[in-house]
Each structure stands twice: as C-alpha cells, then as structure tokens.
Amino acid sequence: MIFQDSNIHFIRHAETPFNQANEAFKKSQIEYHDWSFDRLSTLPEFRNGVRFNHDHIDCSITEKGRGECLLAKNKFELSGITADIVLVSPFNRTL
C-alpha cells in the first residue's frame, strides 16, 4: 500500500445517551448552559449524576445518533470518498 497522496478522515462517534444527559444537565442548570464539558466536570453534581453514570460507559448511539451516521455515510457516498482501511474503537458507540 502506498501512502503518498493518501487522505485520512476522522469521524467522532454520534450522539449517545451520555451526550443527551450532558445537554439535559446544561438546560436544567441555566447558569451552566455555555460551559464546556471539561468545565462542567469540575462540578460534583455533574460528575456524580452524568459523567459517572455506569449506563454511559459503553453505551450505544441514540436514534439521533443513527441519523447522524446516515448523514455522514451519505456525505461520503455523494463526495465519492472511498476507504482502503477503516479503523474504529471497540466501544459500542463507534460500531
């Protein structure tokens, strides 16, 4: 395999229940609505209620996440991008 003239495309996983919980927390605590995830992580109520919820550790994607995946797939197909190799994390949210 020749790597000159190769392109690498990175795609982050789609929406998960963790992302939904993060957004719900921000909406319920209006003073935190514009905080980044890292800044929210300094709050004990966020860490204990959202970040360390065991259901979020290796969760699948949501229905919205499935839609995001289909949009990404369609963009790749329409642009003619093909892949010789695909590397993914073993987490459920990436499969």
Side-chain angles (χ1 to χ4, degrees), residues 5 7 10 13 15 17 20 25 33 38 54 72-73 76 78-79 87-90 92:
D5 299 328
N7 294 307
F10 293 92
H13 68 80
E15 183 189 72
Q20 285 181 327
F25 179 83
H33 75 279
D38 290 334
H54 290 284
K73 174 186 172 278
F76 273 82
L78 288 172
S79 66
L87 303 172
V88 299
S89 161
N92 284 319

Side-chain angles (χ1 to χ4, degrees), residues 12-39:
R12 188 177 183 275
H13 68 80
E15 183 189 72
T16 67
F18 173 85
N19 302 123
Q20 285 181 327
N22 180 29
E23 289 306 310
F25 179 83
K26 285 181 177 182
K27 287 179 183 173
S28 72
Q29 308 293 321
I30 194 66
E31 65 268 26
Y32 305 129
H33 75 279
D34 61 345
W35 283 30
S36 69
F37 173 78
D38 290 334
R39 191 168 174 203

Side-chain angles (χ1 to χ4, degrees), residues 37-51:
F37 173 78
D38 290 334
R39 191 168 174 203
L40 282 171
S41 295
T42 65
L43 299 171
E45 61 269 31
F46 176 79
R47 287 198 314 268
N48 296 329
V50 176
R51 187 172 187 188

